[in-house]
Amino acid sequence: MSDKFIQTGPELNNQFQSDLILKDFLESNIPSHILGKFLPHLNQVGGDASGKLNSWAFEARSQPPVHVPFSPWGERIDEIKTSQGWKNLEAYAAENGIVAAAYEKSFGEYSRIYQAALLYLFHPSSAIFSCPLAMTDGAARAIELYGDQTLKSRAYKFLTSRDPKVFWTSGQWMTEQTGGSDVSGTATTARHVGGTNYELTGTKWFTSATTSQMAMTLARIEGDDEGSRGLSLFYLELRDSNGKLNQIEIHRLKDKLGTCALPTAELSLNGTRATLVGGKGDGVKKISSLFNITRVYNSICALGQMRRGLALLEDFSEKRIVFGKKLSQQPLHQKTMFDLQTEFAGNFVLIFELAKLLGLDECNKSTNDEKLLLRLLTPLAKSYSAKAAINVSSEVVEGFGGAGYCEDVGIAWLLRDSQVLSIWEGTTNVLSLDALRAIEKDDALKAYLSTVQKKIKGLGISSKPLESQWQMLKEYLDTFKKLSPENVQANARELAFKLTEFFVALLLLEQSQKIPAFAAYYEGWLKLKKMDQ
Ligand code: MFK
């Protein structure tokens, strides 16, 4: 038997050091006295991402969580056992302040950019520990906005701690058996027991990271109106100080396509003690402060996912010999890689623009247009980057050929874990409709248009294709306005993608003036998105 088909697998080097796009971008967009303070940390996390974090993630994926409903003596305990790798990832995330960085605000309005870079480096080596972190950050934000003093001095302190012994994660329990997109049918009821205290009864069909210490959830206070406006926002703790569950029964863990290290459970609330947050009603609106943060996380993680796939494929392309030369020397492979890099670079500038806007907003430094643009770019970036991550991951798996399809090679998880990005936190269609909501209700399109005008004016050069795309976009928007309400909805995804692709082109051109390497991505983006005609 021949032993000739022996190949060298891909290797990862320091994921910060080797990331020219990230490094160039930060150097050109962050004042040097601030950047100098956080670069060493990014360098450290980049090194860990290719070392110990990756090993923990591998361990967490290969030892998925297990639900233990009963003790050996028949007591209902509903424990969820997770691997040591998963636990290590949690401790690392706390110590490195992946959530805390946003609340400490050590770098003022640049704190969210710093945090985005940290998360982007951490996520692909985290076995999706980024999911509990996303919900934790979102819960901290919701408590910051709506929590009373008790919640602020209790939960908030734990969610934003860097001490792994003190750090808490949070769940976000919105999904019931009626489905995830439309929460108006939420059937969980809340019975008032005094003050802001309630007891919740109902079933939550998807609860991510059910090992969290607390959760934010929606329920309808007895007697309140039907529909989504009759829902209220609640805070609950899963276990008491003895570790006993708070009248919660965990039915089973979900058997999912990906995110296998992440415990996702179905559970019932059987009189679970909970605290009303921010007063009665408007629960969806209040919890949107949480899910707008998780949507930003989703975008950053989609970007991290793309970058990891490309780093692995790039390295492999230098090793794989095919048709007499390295894969990296094959013209069609080079073109494919460039297109994938371009997709990545386009999403990169979009998502770091989003992080910039979020940081400005949270430091009360944003203009009204910047606030509205943040509102619009959040669903646009989430939906666009999730699709891009699926596409890039699929191409990366294909780039490895049959090896990419084999579990032990360790590439397939990229594709599996990308697929969820376009589902949770709102599907592509739900987010396209959310973009429409931002346009129709908050007049966010006005902010988009005036930002584009301002950016075009600020460019030192003119670009014929960009100008003609701008003209075409304005004509498209004029036609869109005249559509019937039904057709407006039917075309919401097309609108969302057109707004995103044009905005990305503009951002790439803007960056190319500071970073010469981006000029090729700008040209590449126009071609890839057929915007060069
Ligand atoms: C690796 C990264 C990890 C990421 C974390 C993953 C964790 C996974 C956990 C989950 O997946 S939890 C489930 C997540 N579920 C969703 O994201 C729900 C998706 N569905 C939607 O987003 C629907 O659009 C929505 C539930 C919001 C529809 O609800 P409604 O109540 O029918 O919508 P309506 O009536 O338009 O909005 C009610 C209010 O909320 C309005 O305000 P007003 O009362 O002032 O009019 C809206 O403007 C406001 N609102 C809705 N969406 C908003 C928002 N405000 C700001 N931002 C938004 N995005």
Side-chain angles (χ1 to χ4, degrees):
M1 197 172 120
S2 163
D3 63 354
K4 290 273 166 58
F5 197 71
I6 292 176
Q7 304 199 36
T8 314
E11 284 162 311
L12 281 181
N13 45 20
N14 182 311
Q15 287 299 282
F16 175 71
Q17 280 302 328
S18 58
D19 194 333
L20 300 182
I21 289 191
L22 175 65
K23 280 166 57 176
D24 284 350
F25 178 85
L26 293 176
E27 269 163 33
S28 307
N29 290 278
I30 309 287
S32 57
H33 68 282
I34 289 181
L35 185 60
K37 288 187 191 146
F38 66 68
L39 272 191
H41 190 204
L42 296 183
N43 194 28
Q44 172 234 305
V45 176
D48 293 339
S50 57
K52 64 182 180 188
L53 291 178
N54 220 14
S55 315
W56 294 336
F58 178 80
E59 185 184 338
R61 275 197 299 271
S62 50
Q63 294 170 37
V66 176
H67 173 217
V68 183
F70 295 101
S71 79
W73 303 104
E75 188 192 354
R76 185 93 204 192
I77 53 170
D78 281 325
E79 261 184 46
I80 297 174
K81 290 193 184 298
T82 56
S83 67
Q84 191 54 45
W86 184 254
K87 292 185 178 77
N88 293 346
L89 287 161
E90 173 163 15
Y92 184 94
E95 277 167 358
N96 285 277
I98 293 179
V99 173
Y103 294 88
E104 291 162 353
K105 297 193 172 66
S106 307
F107 306 111
E109 72 258 39
Y110 298 103
S111 300
R112 278 287 181 186
I113 294 189
Y114 163 55
Q115 185 209 29
L118 277 178
L119 176 67
Y120 160 81
L121 294 167
F122 173 78
H123 161 79
S125 294
S126 78
I128 312 278
F129 198 84
S130 40
C131 166
L133 296 179
M135 299 184 295
T136 301
D137 194 330
R141 184 71 182 137
I143 291 174
E144 202 172 52
L145 291 174
Y146 299 109
D148 60 13
Q149 216 36 57
T150 316
L151 275 190
K152 280 181 183 152
S153 54
R154 186 172 166 75
Y156 179 83
K157 201 173 70 190
F158 302 141
L159 299 172
T160 57
S161 172
R162 280 178 182 256
D163 180 351
K165 291 197 193 77
V166 170
F167 182 58
W168 275 14
T169 58
S170 176
Q172 168 199 1
W173 299 353
M174 291 177 67
T175 308
E176 300 204 351
Q177 280 157 314
T178 43
S181 298
D182 177 6
V183 301
S184 64
T186 294
T188 298
T189 55
R191 193 172 71 83
H192 191 210
V193 292
T196 54
N197 300 321
Y198 287 78
E199 284 176 357
L200 308 187
T201 302
T203 300
K204 298 291 171 181
W205 188 240
F206 273 92
T207 63
S208 293
T210 321
T211 41
S212 292
Q213 287 82 354
M214 59 159 282
M216 304 294 279
T217 193
L218 295 174
R220 196 178 311 280
I221 295 172
E222 283 174 346
D224 277 0
D225 291 347
E226 288 190 358
S228 72
R229 278 178 179 69
L231 295 171
S232 295
L233 177 62
F234 290 90
Y235 159 88
L236 64 86
E237 291 178 17
L238 273 80
R239 292 179 189 268
D240 64 18
S241 53
N242 298 316
K244 200 169 174 322
L245 276 168
N246 176 8
Q247 305 298 325
I248 294 170
E249 197 164 283
I250 297 171
H251 302 166
R252 59 174 170 162
L253 291 181
K254 297 284 192 186
D255 184 8
K256 297 166 291 177
L257 171 67
T259 69
C260 298
L262 172 74
T264 306
E266 284 169 29
L267 54 82
S268 57
L269 308 169
N270 307 315
T272 301
R273 290 176 302 281
T275 306
L276 180 67
V277 182
K280 281 173 100 180
D282 284 335
V284 169
K285 195 182 169 119
K286 285 171 195 150
I287 208 167
S288 74
S289 62
L290 192 166
F291 63 61
N292 282 339
I293 293 286
T294 50
R295 288 171 184 177
V296 173
Y297 265 66
N298 204 88
S299 307
I300 298 166
C301 294
L303 195 64
Q305 197 91 352
M306 287 185 242
R307 156 77 181 136
R308 176 57 53 88
L310 292 171
L312 289 167
L313 185 54
E314 232 171 59
D315 185 73
F316 184 65
S317 310
E318 289 301 323
K319 294 171 175 160
R320 169 86 169 116
I321 307 288
V322 64
F323 303 119
K325 50 185 174 184
K326 285 181 185 174
L327 187 54
S328 63
Q329 293 165 332
Q330 305 283 351
L332 186 49
H333 180 74
Q334 288 170 346
K335 165 79 167 67
T336 306
M337 280 306 280
F338 178 73
D339 285 350
L340 296 175
Q341 282 286 0
T342 300
E343 185 71 60
F344 164 72
N347 278 277
F348 184 98
V349 289
L350 174 67
I351 288 157
F352 273 82
E353 183 78 4
L354 184 64
K356 180 185 97 181
L357 292 169
L358 183 59
L360 284 169
D361 185 45
E362 291 179 344
C363 288
N364 298 320
K365 288 198 171 168
S366 49
T367 61
N368 199 40
D369 271 0
E370 284 166 337
K371 273 184 200 302
L372 290 174
L373 193 61
L374 171 65
R375 171 70 186 94
L376 178 61
L377 285 192
T378 301
L380 293 185
K382 193 282 187 186
S383 51
Y384 201 86
S385 61
K387 285 289 191 206
I390 297 167
N391 178 34
V392 170
S393 301
S394 170
E395 289 284 353
V396 166
V397 169
E398 188 176 330
F400 276 86
Y405 204 65
C406 294
E407 286 297 342
D408 55 359
V409 169
I411 303 292
W413 68 268
L414 268 173
L415 184 53
R416 271 201 303 269
D417 285 3
S418 291
Q419 186 62 64
V420 78
L421 298 171
S422 70
I423 299 172
W424 63 13
E425 294 307 334
T427 60
T428 313
N429 284 356
V430 165
L431 288 163
S432 301
L433 294 173
D434 187 48
L436 209 53
R437 184 189 281 112
I439 289 170
E440 288 175 346
K441 191 170 162 276
D442 302 324
D443 218 0
L445 191 59
K446 225 162 127 190
Y448 174 98
L449 295 173
S450 69
T451 306
V452 168
Q453 294 277 23
K454 215 151 82 194
K455 280 187 184 292
I456 289 178
K457 242 178 156 181
L459 289 171
I461 46 165
S462 70
S463 159
K464 277 231 156 65
L466 191 87
E467 277 163 25
S468 90
Q469 285 300 318
W470 179 219
Q471 238 6 76
M472 278 158 66
L473 180 65
K474 285 192 287 190
E475 282 161 23
Y476 173 82
L477 292 173
D478 283 342
T479 320
F480 196 89
K481 273 187 218 149
K482 292 176 195 138
L483 294 177
S484 68
E486 202 161 289
N487 278 331
V488 162
Q489 287 212 4
N491 289 286
R493 190 195 281 220
E494 183 184 80
L495 170 72
F497 281 25
K498 274 189 193 294
L499 291 174
T500 309
E501 286 174 356
F502 178 80
F503 201 68
V504 166
L506 182 54
L507 291 174
L508 284 170
L509 186 59
E510 195 178 57
Q511 288 300 327
S512 73
Q513 296 193 281
K514 300 186 237 179
I515 311 165
F518 275 71
Y521 294 130
Y522 169 65
E523 298 294 336
W525 184 263
L526 294 180
K527 281 204 180 76
L528 195 63
K529 305 298 168 184
K530 305 197 173 13
M531 295 168 77
D532 58 339
Q533 286 96 15

